[in-house]
Amino acid sequence: MPQFLNGASRDASGQSTGLRLPAQLFCVLFRVLLVTLVAAIGTSVTAAVPYIVHVGDPHHPGALSVAVQKAYAAGAHEIVINPGVYHLPATGHPTFHLKHWQNICISAKQVELIMRVAHAGVCFDLDHCRNVILDGPTISQTRVTFYQGRIIQITPASGGYNLDWKPDAGYPEPKISDKHFPTGFDVVNGRTRHLRVGSPDIGTAIHSAEAHGVFRLFFRMKRPKFKVGDWLVARWGNPRNKILLDHSHNCTIQHVTLMRNGFAPIFEAGGGGNHLLYCHWVLGPKPAGATESPVVTNQADGFHSVGANPGTDIEHCVFKGVFLDDCIAIHGEFQTVLRATGNTIRVKDNRNSGLTAGQPIQISNKEGFFATGLVLAVQKNSDQTSTVILNHNLSVPVGSYVTNPDRCGQGYRVIDCLLGDTRSRGMLLKGSNGLVIGNTVRGCGMAGISIGPEFWWHEAGYCHNVIVEDNHLIRDGKGGHGGYFSAVYVHGDGAVGNSDIVIRHNTFVSNFAGDIFMQWTGSGQVADNTFTGPPLLSATGDRRPAAIAVRNCGPIQLGHNTITNPTAYAPAAKK
């Protein structure tokens, strides 16, 4: 049973941290209360509003949003959307803008909501909400948001290869005038419908548009790692999120199915303590006129969280199909130090970094500087900078990166999920006090589980007290070789800032570029894991990787670990 259903949360050591009420309990409580009489207009009482209100007619989808808003305004505490398919009109703003909603259940079982690609707003905008449940809908859109087509010919060319590519019927096509694609291509095996081994993010130029919708592309590489009949896929368009958790607290998104997705169909900014339960990211139906089913589920990230405290509770979620970026991304934001004198620093503002008086600050740089402190005061300036006063002089180097470590998704939980088949990471985790337990992560192009900051993306922060336990990591690291592609990758950007990272009781099966790579970590434990050798190392051009590699770290406790076929690995690497 998920921990929060018992009413108690736990930290990464498994200890109870007290009551963290889920939104579901509010629905149960409200069922035993008398319903308040409210007015349709003004303050006079005109009618008794039932606890459960049914709304919606699929033949009149444009009226659904108004009906939902009226039901909430009238005092209902459970809104049931009638079953059916609703083709939502393009409005230029969120279809369901739930602003400051509290203590409400929206039940949408057997409901499909179809957004227009041109829709400028999200479907559900939970704007500064508390204790809201969204239960059951399938949310889709009118068009796919990715290129998909088959390779029909490969020929050698100077410095690389020409490739003739034909978009599948019903899928987007480049313009004749295009010279480059907006992002690199990824290759999907034409037989298995999974990402092909050894073919990450291929940059390409369009040489010419041939007859009958065939495009000649040029790839600069030594040898092709794809075949005639494989699919090339890439991002197209820029559709918005389907569900936005905007500075909302203790909200639950459950039993939601998401298809034909762009970037982050569920996006969380600020807020905290939210739950994703039994949600499914799935391949959508064939587009109109198509003969091939889609191979891509998500144009980019599946779930993306920035600046939350506490982090999201993600349980029993399933990510199916190919993802063109991380399945799960949880992080904060770095601000850059522009000036530093004594205990006063001036930083460039970012929206979700969250530097706040009375809260901690984490400071680091690529040259090895790492420090923590307490913020005494923050003064917003007129030039998009802030002046920050610290509790003591840290001699902060100019150019360093600062963040509030409590606003990086600390306390997140990823439990009993199934994910993978992404060109990038299965989980990209940059918060402390995290639990990653009982998941299966299969077929990622890069790391299955990545822990630590990335200065390149200004995504914070260094991580403390994270447990990775009882997970299965299978055939991850398809895209290349080296630590960046290890099944579990704990990393930093030049400073020993991670600490207390525990990796135990996991099973590693046939990963391509090694199983565990730890760097820039002050303390941790690797124990009671089981490793089997990576298959077909030549497929990634890799030499034998080490099962466990440790670089630039403090004391890492290496307990008993089992390697079933040690000849598949290089000797353990540590320094």
Side-chain angles (χ1 to χ4, degrees):
M1 178 181 292
Q3 286 292 314
F4 78 92
L5 293 180
N6 291 326
S9 64
R10 56 177 173 166
D11 61 19
S13 67
Q15 298 299 311
S16 173
T17 59
L19 191 63
R20 178 175 168 181
L21 282 176
Q24 291 97 320
L25 294 183
F26 286 92
C27 283
V28 175
L29 294 174
F30 280 120
R31 290 183 188 277
V32 300
L33 298 177
L34 293 177
V35 176
T36 304
L37 299 180
V38 297
I41 301 175
T43 59
S44 61
V45 175
T46 59
V49 179
Y51 171 77
I52 301 176
V53 175
H54 292 258
V55 299
D57 178 354
H59 296 98
H60 302 284
L64 180 59
S65 176
V66 173
V68 168
Q69 294 287 347
K70 283 185 176 180
Y72 179 75
H77 292 290
E78 183 170 352
I79 300 172
V80 178
I81 299 177
N82 294 319
V85 178
Y86 294 79
H87 291 268
L88 303 175
T91 60
H93 54 74
T95 301
F96 304 99
H97 188 189
L98 316 184
K99 190 170 184 178
H100 298 290
W101 282 31
Q102 297 186 47
N103 309 331
I104 182 77
C105 305
I106 301 176
S107 177
K109 298 174 182 177
Q110 301 180 50
V111 170
E112 184 172 357
L113 304 171
I114 301 178
M115 306 164 61
R116 292 177 183 264
V117 169
H119 201 305
V122 301
C123 189
F124 287 92
D125 183 356
L126 279 67
D127 182 355
H128 292 79
C129 293
R130 284 186 178 272
N131 310 319
V132 172
I133 298 173
L134 176 62
D135 181 18
T138 294
I139 308 177
S140 186
Q141 59 192 36
T142 53
R143 291 198 66 183
V144 298
T145 57
F146 56 91
Y147 293 110
Q148 174 178 311
R150 298 270 192 169
I151 299 171
I152 61 175
Q153 182 173 281
I154 303 171
T155 55
S158 178
Y161 289 85
N162 284 327
L163 179 153
D164 289 346
W165 172 73
K166 184 177 178 60
D168 288 346
Y171 292 81
E173 291 190 10
K175 296 178 182 178
I176 298 299
S177 59
D178 286 346
K179 299 300 181 185
H180 293 272
F181 282 84
T183 61
F185 269 110
D186 291 280
V187 184
V188 176
N189 188 303
R191 181 178 58 84
T192 67
R193 300 176 69 86
H194 297 300
L195 287 166
R196 182 168 282 285
V197 174
S199 298
D201 291 353
I202 302 171
T204 182
I206 303 175
H207 272 194
S208 60
E210 307 296 325
H212 308 297
V214 175
F215 294 82
R216 175 153 293 177
L217 314 177
F218 174 72
F219 292 85
R220 193 174 298 279
M221 57 173 52
K222 292 182 179 179
R223 64 181 185 275
K225 296 176 181 177
F226 38 72
K227 298 179 180 179
V228 170
D230 284 347
W231 279 288
L232 292 186
V233 295
R235 303 180 191 185
W236 174 81
N238 189 30
R240 294 290 302 276
N241 322 114
K242 290 180 167 65
I243 299 172
L244 175 60
L245 293 162
D246 184 2
H247 292 83
S248 291
H249 294 265
N250 201 32
C251 293
T252 299
I253 311 300
Q254 64 183 27
H255 299 288
V256 172
T257 300
L258 303 146
M259 61 178 66
R260 290 187 172 180
N261 302 310
F263 168 73
I266 303 181
F267 187 93
E268 177 182 49
N274 298 307
H275 312 278
L276 304 185
L277 307 177
Y278 298 95
C279 292
H280 286 70
W281 286 251
V282 302
L283 292 164
K286 294 178 184 177
T291 57
E292 296 276 10
S293 297
V295 295
V296 172
T297 294
N298 236 76
Q299 186 204 67
D301 296 348
F303 168 69
H304 194 108
S305 172
V306 54
N309 182 25
T312 315
D313 173 37
I314 307 170
E315 302 196 33
H316 304 290
C317 291
V318 177
F319 300 73
K320 291 184 178 179
V322 171
F323 284 65
L324 300 185
D325 215 338
D326 313 304
C327 292
I328 296 171
I330 298 174
H331 65 92
E333 287 190 344
F334 283 120
Q335 293 177 249
T336 305
V337 176
L338 305 175
R339 188 181 308 160
T341 305
N343 70 333
T344 302
I345 60 176
R346 194 179 185 93
V347 299
K348 183 178 180 181
D349 285 341
N350 285 333
R351 182 184 177 195
N352 291 298
S353 57
L355 295 183
T356 304
Q359 294 188 8
I361 187 172
Q362 186 183 85
I363 311 170
S364 53
N365 67 13
K366 295 180 180 180
E367 286 69 48
F369 181 85
F370 183 84
T372 59
L374 186 71
V375 174
L376 296 182
V378 178
Q379 172 65 52
K380 293 286 186 180
N381 304 316
S382 59
D383 59 352
Q384 295 185 325
T385 67
S386 292
T387 301
V388 182
I389 300 175
L390 308 177
N391 63 329
H392 58 282
N393 184 357
L394 292 174
S395 300
V396 176
V398 172
S400 297
Y401 300 91
V402 302
T403 191
N404 180 346
D406 287 351
R407 290 283 301 277
C408 299
Q410 74 84 24
Y412 66 84
R413 294 175 291 195
V414 186
I415 298 175
D416 293 335
C417 294
L418 175 64
L419 63 155
D421 215 14
T422 166
R423 58 156 285 278
S424 190
R425 285 69 60 102
M427 304 178 202
L428 184 59
L429 308 172
K430 299 174 180 177
S432 295
N433 305 317
L435 290 173
V436 182
I437 297 178
N439 305 283
T440 298
V441 189
R442 183 191 300 267
C444 297
M446 300 180 192
I449 301 171
S450 175
I451 299 169
E454 292 177 315
F455 291 157
W456 174 259
W457 294 110
H458 274 245
E459 291 184 357
Y462 281 88
C463 302
H464 169 74
N465 193 30
V466 176
I467 292 178
V468 178
E469 182 176 70
D470 292 327
N471 302 284
H472 289 75
L473 294 108
I474 305 167
R475 293 180 63 85
D476 292 316
K478 285 183 173 182
H481 56 84
Y484 195 69
F485 296 87
S486 296
V488 175
Y489 178 39
V490 184
H491 54 91
D493 274 337
V496 180
N498 302 310
S499 62
D500 295 330
I501 308 299
V502 176
I503 304 170
R504 65 191 180 201
H505 302 299
N506 302 286
T507 302
F508 296 83
V509 180
S510 301
N511 295 295
F512 289 92
D515 294 316
I516 298 174
F517 184 81
M518 299 183 72
Q519 62 173 355
W520 309 113
T521 298
S523 60
Q525 181 189 65
V526 179
D528 300 314
N529 299 287
T530 301
F531 305 90
T532 65
L536 303 174
L537 294 177
S538 61
T540 63
D542 199 5
R543 60 186 181 278
R544 288 189 304 158
I548 304 169
V550 180
R551 299 275 194 275
N552 302 308
C553 289
I556 304 298
Q557 299 177 17
L558 297 179
H560 176 75
N561 295 281
T562 301
I563 299 178
T564 61
N565 53 346
T567 59
Y569 290 98
K574 182 178 181 180
K575 65 179 180 180

